[in-house]
Amino acid sequence: TVVQVKRAKGEACNTGKSPMSLTAYKKLCQIFIKSNKPEHIFTHCFLTLEWLLMARSENCVRSHVNHLEWQDNCLIIFFSHSKGNQGGINQNEPWHIYSNPLCPEICPILALAKYVFIQPSLLAGDCHLFPGDSQYNHFMRIFRDVLKENEAEFVKLNINIEDLGLHSAWKGSSTLCASGCTVAPPITSICLRAGWSMGTVKSRYLRHEVAGDQCCGRTVTGLN
C-alpha cells in the first residue's frame, strides 16, 4: 500500500539512508586529507576504517591498539567482541587492511599514520585506538558538518547528502565488495567480514580463512 501511494504521488521509493558510493567516499576522503584540522584527521581515519572493515560503528569505537599488528604486506586487526560475535569465539580471526598507493586519499594506512602523528600516546599501546567518550557521536557530528559545508561539491557529482547517514559507509563498502566488480570475493568471506548471519548450518561449516578475507580487504580498498 505504501509503495502504491508513493508511485501515485511520484515520491522516492527508497527508505532509509543509501549506501555510500565509491565516488562519494573518495570525495569525502579528498576533503579530509587536504585539511590539517585535528578533528578532520580523526574523522578521516575513522571513516576509512569503518569502510575498510565493512564494520558496524561499535567495532571501530572498540578497536584497541593491542589488537593491531603488521603481517607481511598488510595491517591486521582482531575483534574480541562484536554484534555477530557475542561470545568472542572468532577473536583469533584476522581482518586484513591494505594500503592503496594509487589513490592516497582513500588509503587507510596513510589516514592511520596521520592520526598517530596527532595522537603519539597511541604508540605506547594499552589503550583504545580512539580514546575518549562518545567518539562515534564526535565522528558523526564532523561527518555531517563536512557534508553540509561541501554540499555544492557533492551536487556536482549527483550525490544528495541527505541520502548519506549512519550506516552509509558500511552499506557502501559491503556493496562494493559484493557487486562492485565482476570477480567478487567469496560471499562467505564477505558475510563473515561484514558480520552478517549465514544461518545456523552455514555458520557452523563455512568458516573464516585468510585467503578469502585478504581478497575482501584488497577489493574494498579499491585495488584492481
Side-chain angles (χ1 to χ4, degrees):
T1 301
V2 172
V3 172
Q4 289 176 346
V5 171
K6 286 185 175 182
R7 181 181 63 185
K9 294 183 178 180
E11 296 177 351
C13 294
N14 61 309
T15 57
K17 298 299 182 179
S18 301
M20 184 184 295
S21 66
L22 183 60
T23 301
Y25 174 60
K26 285 183 175 180
K27 171 54 68 175
L28 271 169
C29 289
Q30 285 172 1
I31 294 170
F32 289 132
I33 202 171
K34 291 178 181 178
S35 172
N36 290 322
K37 295 180 179 179
E39 61 267 27
H40 287 176
I41 295 174
F42 153 77
T43 308
H44 187 203
C45 181
F46 195 104
L47 176 62
T48 55
L49 282 182
E50 186 174 27
W51 176 277
L52 266 295
L53 296 173
M54 296 159 53
R56 293 177 174 87
S57 57
E58 62 263 25
N59 283 15
C60 293
V61 171
R62 294 172 181 167
S63 299
H64 202 281
V65 175
N66 291 345
H67 296 158
L68 290 166
E69 62 183 64
W70 291 102
Q71 187 177 90
D72 298 325
N73 64 335
C74 67
L75 180 70
I76 59 175
I77 184 170
F78 300 91
F79 288 114
S80 59
H81 175 271
S82 67
K83 186 174 181 180
N85 177 30
Q86 296 287 341
I89 59 174
N90 302 324
Q91 58 185 321
N92 294 322
E93 297 173 353
W95 293 20
H96 298 76
I97 304 171
Y98 291 88
S99 64
N100 188 337
L102 303 178
C103 193
E105 62 268 27
I106 62 172
C107 177
I109 307 302
L110 178 58
L112 179 61
K114 291 183 65 178
Y115 175 66
V116 170
F117 272 118
I118 65 168
Q119 293 278 1
S121 60
L122 296 176
L123 296 175
D126 294 326
C127 66
H128 285 94
L129 184 59
F130 301 106
D133 298 328
S134 304
Q135 288 292 59
Y136 189 67
N137 292 335
H138 183 204
F139 163 75
M140 284 304 301
R141 178 182 59 78
I142 300 169
F143 177 81
R144 293 192 185 101
D145 288 345
V146 168
L147 285 176
K148 291 178 181 178
E149 292 168 4
N150 297 274
E151 184 173 6
E153 294 297 316
F154 288 95
V155 170
K156 291 178 183 177
L157 298 173
N158 197 31
I159 298 168
N160 183 359
I161 64 171
E162 298 299 327
D163 290 338
L164 302 178
L166 190 64
H167 300 303
S168 291
W170 178 33
K171 291 179 180 179
S173 60
S174 301
T175 301
L176 172 69
C177 198
S179 56
C181 67
T182 56
V183 188
I187 188 63
T188 297
S189 299
I190 294 172
C191 289
L192 291 173
R193 190 172 177 110
W196 298 335
S197 172
M198 297 186 293
T200 304
V201 175
K202 294 186 182 70
S203 296
R204 182 177 300 151
Y205 293 104
L206 302 179
R207 308 305 295 270
H208 178 279
E209 268 295 348
V210 170
D213 190 72
Q214 287 174 337
C215 188
C216 285
R218 292 183 62 83
T219 302
V220 79
T221 305
L223 296 171
N224 190 322

